[in-house]
PDB file of all heavy atoms in Angstrom:
ATOM      1  N   VAL W 110    -102.361 166.742  47.090  1.00  0.00           N
ATOM      2  CA  VAL W 110    -103.306 166.073  47.986  1.00  0.00           C
ATOM      3  C   VAL W 110    -104.659 166.781  47.907  1.00  0.00           C
ATOM      4  O   VAL W 110    -104.737 167.997  48.052  1.00  0.00           O
ATOM      5  CB  VAL W 110    -102.799 166.076  49.445  1.00  0.00           C
ATOM      6  CG1 VAL W 110    -103.769 165.324  50.350  1.00  0.00           C
ATOM      7  CG2 VAL W 110    -101.410 165.445  49.531  1.00  0.00           C
ATOM      8  N   TRP W 111    -105.706 165.985  47.678  1.00  0.00           N
ATOM      9  CA  TRP W 111    -107.067 166.517  47.564  1.00  0.00           C
ATOM     10  C   TRP W 111    -108.008 165.738  48.468  1.00  0.00           C
ATOM     11  O   TRP W 111    -107.808 164.550  48.725  1.00  0.00           O
ATOM     12  CB  TRP W 111    -107.570 166.407  46.125  1.00  0.00           C
ATOM     13  CG  TRP W 111    -106.906 167.343  45.169  1.00  0.00           C
ATOM     14  CD1 TRP W 111    -105.631 167.250  44.662  1.00  0.00           C
ATOM     15  CD2 TRP W 111    -107.471 168.524  44.600  1.00  0.00           C
ATOM     16  NE1 TRP W 111    -105.377 168.290  43.818  1.00  0.00           N
ATOM     17  CE2 TRP W 111    -106.484 169.093  43.750  1.00  0.00           C
ATOM     18  CE3 TRP W 111    -108.716 169.157  44.717  1.00  0.00           C
ATOM     19  CZ2 TRP W 111    -106.713 170.267  43.026  1.00  0.00           C
ATOM     20  CZ3 TRP W 111    -108.930 170.317  43.985  1.00  0.00           C
ATOM     21  CH2 TRP W 111    -107.945 170.864  43.166  1.00  0.00           C
ATOM     22  N   ILE W 112    -109.055 166.429  48.937  1.00  0.00           N
ATOM     23  CA  ILE W 112    -110.135 165.769  49.684  1.00  0.00           C
ATOM     24  C   ILE W 112    -111.292 165.522  48.724  1.00  0.00           C
ATOM     25  O   ILE W 112    -111.735 166.432  48.033  1.00  0.00           O
ATOM     26  CB  ILE W 112    -110.621 166.644  50.856  1.00  0.00           C
ATOM     27  CG1 ILE W 112    -109.500 166.872  51.861  1.00  0.00           C
ATOM     28  CG2 ILE W 112    -111.816 165.991  51.553  1.00  0.00           C
ATOM     29  CD1 ILE W 112    -109.863 167.871  52.947  1.00  0.00           C
ATOM     30  N   GLY W 113    -111.782 164.291  48.670  1.00  0.00           N
ATOM     31  CA  GLY W 113    -112.973 163.959  47.893  1.00  0.00           C
ATOM     32  C   GLY W 113    -114.122 163.696  48.849  1.00  0.00           C
ATOM     33  O   GLY W 113    -114.190 162.641  49.469  1.00  0.00           O
ATOM     34  N   SER W 114    -115.023 164.677  49.004  1.00  0.00           N
ATOM     35  CA  SER W 114    -116.151 164.499  49.908  1.00  0.00           C
ATOM     36  C   SER W 114    -117.454 164.560  49.118  1.00  0.00           C
ATOM     37  O   SER W 114    -117.458 164.819  47.920  1.00  0.00           O
ATOM     38  CB  SER W 114    -116.147 165.569  51.009  1.00  0.00           C
ATOM     39  OG  SER W 114    -116.481 166.836  50.455  1.00  0.00           O
ATOM     40  N   GLY W 115    -118.558 164.321  49.791  1.00  0.00           N
ATOM     41  CA  GLY W 115    -119.844 164.380  49.122  1.00  0.00           C
ATOM     42  C   GLY W 115    -120.725 163.214  49.504  1.00  0.00           C
ATOM     43  O   GLY W 115    -120.581 162.636  50.591  1.00  0.00           O
ATOM     44  N   GLN W 116    -121.630 162.855  48.619  1.00  0.00           N
ATOM     45  CA  GLN W 116    -122.627 161.836  48.912  1.00  0.00           C
ATOM     46  C   GLN W 116    -122.259 160.518  48.250  1.00  0.00           C
ATOM     47  O   GLN W 116    -121.095 160.240  47.990  1.00  0.00           O
ATOM     48  CB  GLN W 116    -123.998 162.353  48.476  1.00  0.00           C
ATOM     49  CG  GLN W 116    -124.423 163.628  49.201  1.00  0.00           C
ATOM     50  CD  GLN W 116    -125.812 164.087  48.812  1.00  0.00           C
ATOM     51  OE1 GLN W 116    -126.316 163.790  47.732  1.00  0.00           O
ATOM     52  NE2 GLN W 116    -126.460 164.838  49.696  1.00  0.00           N
ATOM     53  N   SER W 117    -123.278 159.688  47.970  1.00  0.00           N
ATOM     54  CA  SER W 117    -123.021 158.329  47.502  1.00  0.00           C
ATOM     55  C   SER W 117    -122.313 158.271  46.154  1.00  0.00           C
ATOM     56  O   SER W 117    -121.598 157.309  45.866  1.00  0.00           O
ATOM     57  CB  SER W 117    -124.340 157.553  47.425  1.00  0.00           C
ATOM     58  OG  SER W 117    -125.276 158.226  46.601  1.00  0.00           O
ATOM     59  N   ASN W 118    -122.497 159.297  45.302  1.00  0.00           N
ATOM     60  CA  ASN W 118    -121.827 159.222  44.007  1.00  0.00           C
ATOM     61  C   ASN W 118    -120.333 159.488  44.118  1.00  0.00           C
ATOM     62  O   ASN W 118    -119.583 159.179  43.186  1.00  0.00           O
ATOM     63  CB  ASN W 118    -122.479 160.154  42.971  1.00  0.00           C
ATOM     64  CG  ASN W 118    -122.603 161.579  43.450  1.00  0.00           C
ATOM     65  OD1 ASN W 118    -122.295 161.888  44.601  1.00  0.00           O
ATOM     66  ND2 ASN W 118    -123.068 162.451  42.583  1.00  0.00           N
ATOM     67  N   MET W 119    -119.866 160.051  45.230  1.00  0.00           N
ATOM     68  CA  MET W 119    -118.433 160.131  45.490  1.00  0.00           C
ATOM     69  C   MET W 119    -117.971 158.882  46.248  1.00  0.00           C
ATOM     70  O   MET W 119    -116.850 158.395  46.048  1.00  0.00           O
ATOM     71  CB  MET W 119    -118.085 161.379  46.311  1.00  0.00           C
ATOM     72  CG  MET W 119    -116.600 161.503  46.658  1.00  0.00           C
ATOM     73  SD  MET W 119    -115.527 161.747  45.239  1.00  0.00           S
ATOM     74  CE  MET W 119    -115.660 163.531  45.050  1.00  0.00           C
ATOM     75  N   GLU W 120    -118.815 158.341  47.078  1.00  0.00           N
ATOM     76  CA  GLU W 120    -118.476 157.157  47.881  1.00  0.00           C
ATOM     77  C   GLU W 120    -118.439 155.889  47.029  1.00  0.00           C
ATOM     78  O   GLU W 120    -117.720 154.937  47.350  1.00  0.00           O
ATOM     79  CB  GLU W 120    -119.500 157.021  49.004  1.00  0.00           C
ATOM     80  CG  GLU W 120    -119.155 156.017  50.083  1.00  0.00           C
ATOM     81  CD  GLU W 120    -120.170 156.029  51.203  1.00  0.00           C
ATOM     82  OE1 GLU W 120    -121.365 156.216  50.923  1.00  0.00           O
ATOM     83  OE2 GLU W 120    -119.780 155.838  52.362  1.00  0.00           O
ATOM     84  N   TRP W 121    -119.217 155.857  45.953  1.00  0.00           N
ATOM     85  CA  TRP W 121    -119.358 154.678  45.089  1.00  0.00           C
ATOM     86  C   TRP W 121    -118.006 154.208  44.586  1.00  0.00           C
ATOM     87  O   TRP W 121    -117.225 154.981  44.039  1.00  0.00           O
ATOM     88  CB  TRP W 121    -120.251 155.021  43.907  1.00  0.00           C
ATOM     89  CG  TRP W 121    -120.897 153.865  43.232  1.00  0.00           C
ATOM     90  CD1 TRP W 121    -120.583 153.368  42.005  1.00  0.00           C
ATOM     91  CD2 TRP W 121    -121.981 153.074  43.722  1.00  0.00           C
ATOM     92  NE1 TRP W 121    -121.391 152.310  41.693  1.00  0.00           N
ATOM     93  CE2 TRP W 121    -122.259 152.101  42.735  1.00  0.00           C
ATOM     94  CE3 TRP W 121    -122.717 153.081  44.898  1.00  0.00           C
ATOM     95  CZ2 TRP W 121    -123.267 151.151  42.897  1.00  0.00           C
ATOM     96  CZ3 TRP W 121    -123.720 152.138  45.054  1.00  0.00           C
ATOM     97  CH2 TRP W 121    -123.989 151.190  44.073  1.00  0.00           C
ATOM     98  N   THR W 122    -117.687 152.923  44.804  1.00  0.00           N
ATOM     99  CA  THR W 122    -116.352 152.401  44.522  1.00  0.00           C
ATOM    100  C   THR W 122    -116.171 151.957  43.075  1.00  0.00           C
ATOM    101  O   THR W 122    -117.140 151.800  42.316  1.00  0.00           O
ATOM    102  CB  THR W 122    -116.036 151.216  45.431  1.00  0.00           C
ATOM    103  OG1 THR W 122    -116.918 150.133  45.080  1.00  0.00           O
ATOM    104  CG2 THR W 122    -116.194 151.582  46.899  1.00  0.00           C
ATOM    105  N   MET W 123    -114.927 151.722  42.700  1.00  0.00           N
ATOM    106  CA  MET W 123    -114.620 151.185  41.377  1.00  0.00           C
ATOM    107  C   MET W 123    -115.275 149.812  41.193  1.00  0.00           C
ATOM    108  O   MET W 123    -115.788 149.498  40.119  1.00  0.00           O
ATOM    109  CB  MET W 123    -113.108 151.071  41.213  1.00  0.00           C
ATOM    110  CG  MET W 123    -112.379 152.408  41.166  1.00  0.00           C
ATOM    111  SD  MET W 123    -112.548 153.216  39.562  1.00  0.00           S
ATOM    112  CE  MET W 123    -111.315 152.298  38.616  1.00  0.00           C
ATOM    113  N   LYS W 124    -115.274 149.005  42.240  1.00  0.00           N
ATOM    114  CA  LYS W 124    -115.893 147.682  42.156  1.00  0.00           C
ATOM    115  C   LYS W 124    -117.386 147.796  41.931  1.00  0.00           C
ATOM    116  O   LYS W 124    -117.959 147.080  41.100  1.00  0.00           O
ATOM    117  CB  LYS W 124    -115.610 146.889  43.435  1.00  0.00           C
ATOM    118  CG  LYS W 124    -116.170 145.474  43.419  1.00  0.00           C
ATOM    119  CD  LYS W 124    -115.800 144.720  44.691  1.00  0.00           C
ATOM    120  CE  LYS W 124    -116.347 143.294  44.642  1.00  0.00           C
ATOM    121  NZ  LYS W 124    -115.974 142.546  45.873  1.00  0.00           N
ATOM    122  N   GLN W 125    -118.041 148.683  42.678  1.00  0.00           N
ATOM    123  CA  GLN W 125    -119.478 148.870  42.515  1.00  0.00           C
ATOM    124  C   GLN W 125    -119.823 149.400  41.129  1.00  0.00           C
ATOM    125  O   GLN W 125    -120.927 149.185  40.636  1.00  0.00           O
ATOM    126  CB  GLN W 125    -120.000 149.820  43.592  1.00  0.00           C
ATOM    127  CG  GLN W 125    -119.987 149.218  44.990  1.00  0.00           C
ATOM    128  CD  GLN W 125    -120.279 150.257  46.062  1.00  0.00           C
ATOM    129  OE1 GLN W 125    -119.742 151.364  46.021  1.00  0.00           O
ATOM    130  NE2 GLN W 125    -121.113 149.904  47.022  1.00  0.00           N
ATOM    131  N   SER W 126    -118.862 150.105  40.524  1.00  0.00           N
ATOM    132  CA  SER W 126    -119.090 150.662  39.190  1.00  0.00           C
ATOM    133  C   SER W 126    -118.774 149.664  38.081  1.00  0.00           C
ATOM    134  O   SER W 126    -118.927 149.978  36.899  1.00  0.00           O
ATOM    135  CB  SER W 126    -118.242 151.918  39.005  1.00  0.00           C
ATOM    136  OG  SER W 126    -118.562 152.889  39.970  1.00  0.00           O
ATOM    137  N   GLY W 127    -118.305 148.467  38.450  1.00  0.00           N
ATOM    138  CA  GLY W 127    -118.101 147.402  37.477  1.00  0.00           C
ATOM    139  C   GLY W 127    -116.780 147.418  36.755  1.00  0.00           C
ATOM    140  O   GLY W 127    -116.649 146.826  35.677  1.00  0.00           O
ATOM    141  N   TYR W 128    -115.755 148.088  37.329  1.00  0.00           N
ATOM    142  CA  TYR W 128    -114.453 148.123  36.675  1.00  0.00           C
ATOM    143  C   TYR W 128    -113.682 146.832  36.929  1.00  0.00           C
ATOM    144  O   TYR W 128    -113.527 146.399  38.063  1.00  0.00           O
ATOM    145  CB  TYR W 128    -113.639 149.322  37.154  1.00  0.00           C
ATOM    146  CG  TYR W 128    -114.139 150.621  36.592  1.00  0.00           C
ATOM    147  CD1 TYR W 128    -115.068 151.379  37.280  1.00  0.00           C
ATOM    148  CD2 TYR W 128    -113.698 151.083  35.356  1.00  0.00           C
ATOM    149  CE1 TYR W 128    -115.551 152.574  36.760  1.00  0.00           C
ATOM    150  CE2 TYR W 128    -114.160 152.261  34.824  1.00  0.00           C
ATOM    151  CZ  TYR W 128    -115.086 153.015  35.535  1.00  0.00           C
ATOM    152  OH  TYR W 128    -115.558 154.187  35.016  1.00  0.00           O
ATOM    153  N   ALA W 129    -113.189 146.193  35.831  1.00  0.00           N
ATOM    154  CA  ALA W 129    -112.458 144.939  35.912  1.00  0.00           C
ATOM    155  C   ALA W 129    -111.720 144.774  34.584  1.00  0.00           C
ATOM    156  O   ALA W 129    -112.049 145.429  33.595  1.00  0.00           O
ATOM    157  CB  ALA W 129    -113.411 143.773  36.173  1.00  0.00           C
ATOM    158  N   PRO W 130    -110.704 143.889  34.488  1.00  0.00           N
ATOM    159  CA  PRO W 130    -110.189 143.065  35.585  1.00  0.00           C
ATOM    160  C   PRO W 130    -109.278 143.854  36.518  1.00  0.00           C
ATOM    161  O   PRO W 130    -108.729 144.877  36.125  1.00  0.00           O
ATOM    162  CB  PRO W 130    -109.404 141.980  34.855  1.00  0.00           C
ATOM    163  CG  PRO W 130    -108.929 142.666  33.611  1.00  0.00           C
ATOM    164  CD  PRO W 130    -110.039 143.609  33.214  1.00  0.00           C
ATOM    165  N   ALA W 131    -109.133 143.331  37.718  1.00  0.00           N
ATOM    166  CA  ALA W 131    -108.360 144.050  38.731  1.00  0.00           C
ATOM    167  C   ALA W 131    -106.902 144.221  38.333  1.00  0.00           C
ATOM    168  O   ALA W 131    -106.283 145.233  38.626  1.00  0.00           O
ATOM    169  CB  ALA W 131    -108.463 143.325  40.066  1.00  0.00           C
ATOM    170  N   ASN W 132    -106.335 143.215  37.653  1.00  0.00           N
ATOM    171  CA  ASN W 132    -104.897 143.270  37.367  1.00  0.00           C
ATOM    172  C   ASN W 132    -104.547 144.263  36.265  1.00  0.00           C
ATOM    173  O   ASN W 132    -103.394 144.383  35.880  1.00  0.00           O
ATOM    174  CB  ASN W 132    -104.370 141.876  37.017  1.00  0.00           C
ATOM    175  CG  ASN W 132    -105.052 141.292  35.788  1.00  0.00           C
ATOM    176  OD1 ASN W 132    -105.783 141.985  35.091  1.00  0.00           O
ATOM    177  ND2 ASN W 132    -104.805 140.015  35.531  1.00  0.00           N
ATOM    178  N   SER W 133    -105.527 144.980  35.726  1.00  0.00           N
ATOM    179  CA  SER W 133    -105.233 145.976  34.697  1.00  0.00           C
ATOM    180  C   SER W 133    -104.839 147.319  35.301  1.00  0.00           C
ATOM    181  O   SER W 133    -104.479 148.242  34.578  1.00  0.00           O
ATOM    182  CB  SER W 133    -106.454 146.168  33.784  1.00  0.00           C
ATOM    183  OG  SER W 133    -107.528 146.743  34.504  1.00  0.00           O
ATOM    184  N   TYR W 134    -104.887 147.438  36.622  1.00  0.00           N
ATOM    185  CA  TYR W 134    -104.570 148.701  37.276  1.00  0.00           C
ATOM    186  C   TYR W 134    -103.172 148.646  37.881  1.00  0.00           C
ATOM    187  O   TYR W 134    -102.842 147.751  38.654  1.00  0.00           O
ATOM    188  CB  TYR W 134    -105.609 149.014  38.365  1.00  0.00           C
ATOM    189  CG  TYR W 134    -106.982 149.214  37.793  1.00  0.00           C
ATOM    190  CD1 TYR W 134    -107.895 148.171  37.771  1.00  0.00           C
ATOM    191  CD2 TYR W 134    -107.359 150.434  37.245  1.00  0.00           C
ATOM    192  CE1 TYR W 134    -109.156 148.339  37.219  1.00  0.00           C
ATOM    193  CE2 TYR W 134    -108.613 150.617  36.706  1.00  0.00           C
ATOM    194  CZ  TYR W 134    -109.505 149.567  36.682  1.00  0.00           C
ATOM    195  OH  TYR W 134    -110.742 149.745  36.134  1.00  0.00           O
ATOM    196  N   ASP W 135    -102.354 149.602  37.504  1.00  0.00           N
ATOM    197  CA  ASP W 135    -100.995 149.672  38.017  1.00  0.00           C
ATOM    198  C   ASP W 135    -100.570 151.135  38.071  1.00  0.00           C
ATOM    199  O   ASP W 135     -99.770 151.602  37.256  1.00  0.00           O
ATOM    200  CB  ASP W 135    -100.049 148.860  37.136  1.00  0.00           C
ATOM    201  CG  ASP W 135     -98.655 148.769  37.736  1.00  0.00           C
ATOM    202  OD1 ASP W 135     -98.523 149.000  38.962  1.00  0.00           O
ATOM    203  OD2 ASP W 135     -97.699 148.486  36.991  1.00  0.00           O
ATOM    204  N   LYS W 136    -101.138 151.876  39.007  1.00  0.00           N
ATOM    205  CA  LYS W 136    -100.877 153.298  39.169  1.00  0.00           C
ATOM    206  C   LYS W 136    -100.399 153.561  40.601  1.00  0.00           C
ATOM    207  O   LYS W 136    -101.117 154.142  41.412  1.00  0.00           O
ATOM    208  CB  LYS W 136    -102.143 154.110  38.893  1.00  0.00           C
ATOM    209  CG  LYS W 136    -102.744 153.916  37.516  1.00  0.00           C
ATOM    210  CD  LYS W 136    -101.984 154.676  36.454  1.00  0.00           C
ATOM    211  CE  LYS W 136    -102.691 154.613  35.111  1.00  0.00           C
ATOM    212  NZ  LYS W 136    -101.976 155.370  34.071  1.00  0.00           N
ATOM    213  N   PRO W 137     -99.172 153.142  40.932  1.00  0.00           N
ATOM    214  CA  PRO W 137     -98.696 153.277  42.319  1.00  0.00           C
ATOM    215  C   PRO W 137     -98.532 154.717  42.785  1.00  0.00           C
ATOM    216  O   PRO W 137     -98.410 154.964  43.985  1.00  0.00           O
ATOM    217  CB  PRO W 137     -97.357 152.539  42.303  1.00  0.00           C
ATOM    218  CG  PRO W 137     -96.915 152.586  40.876  1.00  0.00           C
ATOM    219  CD  PRO W 137     -98.178 152.493  40.065  1.00  0.00           C
ATOM    220  N   LEU W 138     -98.522 155.684  41.858  1.00  0.00           N
ATOM    221  CA  LEU W 138     -98.388 157.084  42.248  1.00  0.00           C
ATOM    222  C   LEU W 138     -99.737 157.715  42.591  1.00  0.00           C
ATOM    223  O   LEU W 138     -99.796 158.876  43.000  1.00  0.00           O
ATOM    224  CB  LEU W 138     -97.715 157.892  41.128  1.00  0.00           C
ATOM    225  CG  LEU W 138     -96.300 157.472  40.764  1.00  0.00           C
ATOM    226  CD1 LEU W 138     -95.739 158.395  39.691  1.00  0.00           C
ATOM    227  CD2 LEU W 138     -95.384 157.467  41.992  1.00  0.00           C
ATOM    228  N   ILE W 139    -100.816 156.956  42.427  1.00  0.00           N
ATOM    229  CA  ILE W 139    -102.144 157.396  42.854  1.00  0.00           C
ATOM    230  C   ILE W 139    -102.511 156.620  44.111  1.00  0.00           C
ATOM    231  O   ILE W 139    -102.501 155.389  44.108  1.00  0.00           O
ATOM    232  CB  ILE W 139    -103.199 157.163  41.764  1.00  0.00           C
ATOM    233  CG1 ILE W 139    -102.868 157.992  40.518  1.00  0.00           C
ATOM    234  CG2 ILE W 139    -104.587 157.498  42.274  1.00  0.00           C
ATOM    235  CD1 ILE W 139    -103.806 157.733  39.348  1.00  0.00           C
ATOM    236  N   ARG W 140    -102.847 157.335  45.168  1.00  0.00           N
ATOM    237  CA  ARG W 140    -103.148 156.676  46.441  1.00  0.00           C
ATOM    238  C   ARG W 140    -104.370 157.306  47.090  1.00  0.00           C
ATOM    239  O   ARG W 140    -104.626 158.488  46.916  1.00  0.00           O
ATOM    240  CB  ARG W 140    -101.938 156.758  47.378  1.00  0.00           C
ATOM    241  CG  ARG W 140    -100.714 156.113  46.724  1.00  0.00           C
ATOM    242  CD  ARG W 140     -99.510 156.058  47.586  1.00  0.00           C
ATOM    243  NE  ARG W 140     -98.422 155.368  46.900  1.00  0.00           N
ATOM    244  CZ  ARG W 140     -97.261 155.067  47.447  1.00  0.00           C
ATOM    245  NH1 ARG W 140     -97.023 155.402  48.713  1.00  0.00           N
ATOM    246  NH2 ARG W 140     -96.331 154.448  46.749  1.00  0.00           N
ATOM    247  N   GLN W 141    -105.112 156.472  47.817  1.00  0.00           N
ATOM    248  CA  GLN W 141    -106.328 156.958  48.475  1.00  0.00           C
ATOM    249  C   GLN W 141    -106.360 156.532  49.933  1.00  0.00           C
ATOM    250  O   GLN W 141    -106.058 155.391  50.264  1.00  0.00           O
ATOM    251  CB  GLN W 141    -107.572 156.416  47.763  1.00  0.00           C
ATOM    252  CG  GLN W 141    -108.878 156.805  48.467  1.00  0.00           C
ATOM    253  CD  GLN W 141    -110.105 156.293  47.734  1.00  0.00           C
ATOM    254  OE1 GLN W 141    -110.446 156.793  46.671  1.00  0.00           O
ATOM    255  NE2 GLN W 141    -110.775 155.301  48.308  1.00  0.00           N
ATOM    256  N   PHE W 142    -106.721 157.496  50.783  1.00  0.00           N
ATOM    257  CA  PHE W 142    -106.993 157.193  52.181  1.00  0.00           C
ATOM    258  C   PHE W 142    -108.498 157.190  52.353  1.00  0.00           C
ATOM    259  O   PHE W 142    -109.160 158.198  52.115  1.00  0.00           O
ATOM    260  CB  PHE W 142    -106.371 158.240  53.104  1.00  0.00           C
ATOM    261  CG  PHE W 142    -106.648 158.004  54.566  1.00  0.00           C
ATOM    262  CD1 PHE W 142    -105.825 157.181  55.325  1.00  0.00           C
ATOM    263  CD2 PHE W 142    -107.735 158.594  55.190  1.00  0.00           C
ATOM    264  CE1 PHE W 142    -106.085 156.953  56.672  1.00  0.00           C
ATOM    265  CE2 PHE W 142    -108.001 158.386  56.524  1.00  0.00           C
ATOM    266  CZ  PHE W 142    -107.172 157.556  57.271  1.00  0.00           C
TER     267      PHE W 142
END
Side-chain angles (χ1 to χ4, degrees):
V110 182
W111 289 74
I112 298 173
S114 71
Q116 299 183 335
S117 56
N118 53 355
M119 178 66 84
E120 191 176 36
W121 202 252
T122 66
M123 293 283 281
K124 182 177 181 179
Q125 290 170 316
S126 301
Y128 286 92
N132 60 10
S133 66
Y134 296 96
D135 187 19
K136 302 283 187 179
L138 298 183
I139 297 175
R140 302 184 177 186
Q141 176 179 288
F142 178 87

